[in-house]
Amino acid sequence: MKRILTIQDISCVGKCSLTVALPVISALGIETCILPTAVLSTHTGFKNFTFCDLTDEIEKICNTWKSENINFDGIYTGFLGSFKQLEIMAKLFDEFKQDNQIILVDPCMGDNGKLYPGFDQNFAMAMRELCKKADVITPNLTEATAMCGMEYKNDGYDKGYIDEILSRLAQIGASKIVLKGVSYTKNSCGVIAFDTKSNKQCEYFHELLPLKTSGTGDIFASVLFGSLVLGFSEEEAIKRAANFVVESIKVTLQDPNKTWYGVQFEKILHTLGSCQI
């Protein structure tokens, strides 16, 4: 059985970060080890939430793993809340690096043209440095343009604009780039990937559904990462991840009692293990 490590915060209520990554990657048949960077009572979309920073525990935890000779077939980072955590992740990548390992960095910093509260352009540049150590990065348009120093465009852009973003991201150093949230029309949304070694692009578009909520990017990255670790091609992994997100949104829209803070991915988790997506 493959074993991976995912490093993100835990929002005790709110379907994002580790409360998504742990069940999703486990459902793929992968031993999923976790390294919490913080514990929140709810995700930050709620009015009130508590926050417990676990930065000081990370290196202690890693040292115990090294003493037990624990290794990982893949490492996947999500939301990282400080410059210090970025520094620790860079060190962790080096210390736990092994042959045929996949390192994926999901540079969770913002959306809809704005960086999250507490982040600025200096943080985006520091995240760019961490991305240099990754095999795969999965930014959305907001995160990508911040790391590239480009203007964010919400709509009205063309393929030339996306190609320029991919070209600049390629200069960071990751071998595979998966750009999320690309939309050339009002009724569709998709993903464009770029393999910097072969210089090839692949894209996958799907219908744009009338629901925007937290956690869908985390779901996408988790399915993508798990699929890559299992040996799926990049194109197959992207389709699996995008389809799972779309189906999660569809099943959520069917429930009149749905909550506002996440999608009901739990209802279709069984499709991951059976490769039905």
Side-chain angles (χ1 to χ4, degrees):
M1 177 181 283
K2 297 285 188 179
R3 178 197 294 135
I4 65 90
L5 170 65
T6 181
I7 308 163
Q8 310 185 47
D9 66 278
I10 295 176
S11 293
C12 299
V13 174
K15 302 180 182 185
C16 63
S17 301
L18 282 181
T19 53
V20 165
L22 177 57
V24 166
I25 300 173
S26 296
L28 286 164
I30 298 171
E31 180 184 348
T32 308
C33 305
I34 64 170
L35 181 50
T37 57
V39 178
L40 292 79
S41 56
T42 61
H43 69 54
T44 57
F46 287 77
K47 277 188 177 181
N48 303 300
F49 58 89
T50 63
F51 178 89
C52 178
D53 187 353
L54 298 179
T55 301
D56 291 341
E57 297 298 315
I58 295 174
E59 290 182 301
K60 298 176 188 177
I61 293 170
C62 290
N63 287 336
T64 64
W65 288 342
K66 286 186 287 185
S67 70
E68 295 289 341
N69 296 315
I70 295 173
N71 296 304
F72 306 101
D73 297 298
I75 301 174
Y76 153 38
T77 64
F79 183 88
L80 300 169
S82 67
F83 288 96
K84 179 63 175 178
Q85 288 188 354
L86 294 178
E87 293 173 7
I88 294 173
M89 291 306 108
K91 181 181 177 183
L92 183 152
F93 290 169
D94 291 337
E95 292 181 343
F96 285 92
K97 183 65 177 177
Q98 62 181 38
D99 293 339
N100 300 316
Q101 183 187 68
I102 296 174
I103 295 178
L104 185 149
V105 172
D106 189 11
C108 302
M109 296 182 291
D111 203 359
N112 300 314
K114 296 181 179 180
L115 296 178
Y116 297 138
F119 292 160
D120 58 16
Q121 191 59 34
N122 289 330
F123 190 85
M125 290 299 100
M127 180 65 80
R128 178 188 173 97
E129 289 300 307
L130 182 65
C131 286
K132 288 182 179 180
K133 291 181 171 288
D135 301 301
V136 185
I137 59 174
T138 57
N140 59 31
L141 280 177
T142 300
E143 295 150 354
T145 52
M147 290 193 293
C148 293
M150 289 180 62
E151 176 191 1
Y152 169 81
K153 296 182 180 180
N154 183 46
D155 53 27
Y157 53 80
D158 57 15
K159 189 175 184 301
Y161 174 71
I162 298 301
D163 286 345
E164 178 64 21
I165 292 174
L166 292 171
S167 176
R168 294 198 189 188
L169 288 174
Q171 296 172 18
I172 293 175
S175 60
K176 296 183 186 299
I177 299 159
V178 180
L179 184 61
K180 303 178 294 188
V182 178
S183 181
Y184 295 128
T185 68
K186 292 182 179 180
N187 299 319
S188 68
C189 185
V191 179
I192 297 182
F194 181 50
D195 187 316
T196 62
K197 292 182 178 179
S198 66
N199 208 37
K200 292 182 178 179
Q201 286 188 24
C202 69
E203 59 183 39
Y204 186 66
F205 286 87
H206 53 78
E207 61 182 311
L208 182 61
L209 296 168
L211 178 67
K212 285 193 174 183
T213 185
S214 299
T216 52
D218 298 332
I219 294 172
F220 177 89
S222 297
V223 178
L224 175 75
F225 174 67
S227 298
L228 291 172
V229 169
L230 290 174
F232 286 87
S233 69
E234 183 181 19
E235 186 172 3
E236 291 172 320
I238 287 169
K239 289 181 179 180
R240 283 165 58 83
N243 287 345
F244 187 77
V245 171
V246 169
E247 292 306 313
S248 295
I249 294 173
K250 285 182 177 179
V251 75
T252 303
L253 288 171
Q254 293 170 6
D255 186 351
N257 298 313
K258 60 183 176 294
T259 59
W260 59 269
Y261 55 78
V263 294
Q264 298 175 5
F265 69 92
E266 300 93 338
K267 290 182 177 179
I268 61 168
L269 268 179
H270 64 280
T271 64
L272 290 175
S274 60
C275 296
Q276 294 177 26
I277 59 172

